[in-house]
Amino acid sequence: EVLQCSSAWNPLVIDQAECRGLLKSLRASYFSRNSSRSKWHMPQAFNQVSAIDVHLMDGERSVHDQSDTEDDQELRPISMAIVSPMREFSRGWRSFAKVSE
């Protein structure tokens, strides 16, 4: 399969739309009871990536930022907004590295 070849991943290029989808999926898996990051099966060649070109998505405004009363803080659901794409990408990359080992 072509994805088993390291040249398929070098350089690894992720555009803004792909970044948004990836980060949304990762964020959802962090808080899902039914999902496990171990389900992310990456080809062995993924570990051989030596160059990456990521066009991060623009940060999203959290619904928590829009609240101006303290009463809203009690039972608010976890925000799925990607406020800091760099932080989310970094956390996700570490998860991929662990799963791929």
Side-chain angles (χ1 to χ4, degrees):
E1 184 175 306
V2 72
L3 294 179
Q4 297 298 333
C5 178
S6 62
S7 63
W9 295 92
N10 268 321
L12 176 59
V13 179
I14 301 174
D15 67 24
Q16 282 188 317
E18 293 166 335
C19 180
R20 176 180 301 280
L22 175 65
L23 296 183
K24 290 287 186 178
S25 295
L26 286 170
R27 183 119 174 114
S29 74
Y30 293 139
F31 301 109
S32 173
R33 292 182 186 152
N34 299 326
S35 180
S36 170
R37 281 171 288 199
S38 63
K39 291 181 183 176
W40 291 83
H41 298 288
M42 299 304 293
Q44 192 62 31
F46 181 79
N47 289 326
Q48 298 171 2
V49 170
S50 60
I52 185 168
D53 181 7
V54 179
H55 299 264
L56 292 173
M57 60 177 274
D58 293 328
E60 300 172 328
R61 183 173 174 165
S62 171
V63 292
H64 299 306
D65 296 340
Q66 298 171 4
S67 175
D68 57 358
T69 64
E70 292 189 24
D71 294 338
D72 293 339
Q73 295 179 8
E74 292 180 15
L75 297 175
R76 290 187 302 194
I78 296 170
S79 173
M80 296 308 282
I82 307 295
V83 178
S84 175
M86 180 57 113
R87 185 175 348 149
E88 292 290 336
F89 185 82
S90 178
R91 182 185 345 180
W93 190 261
R94 287 191 303 268
S95 295
F96 275 140
K98 288 178 187 173
V99 169
S100 298
E101 291 176 349

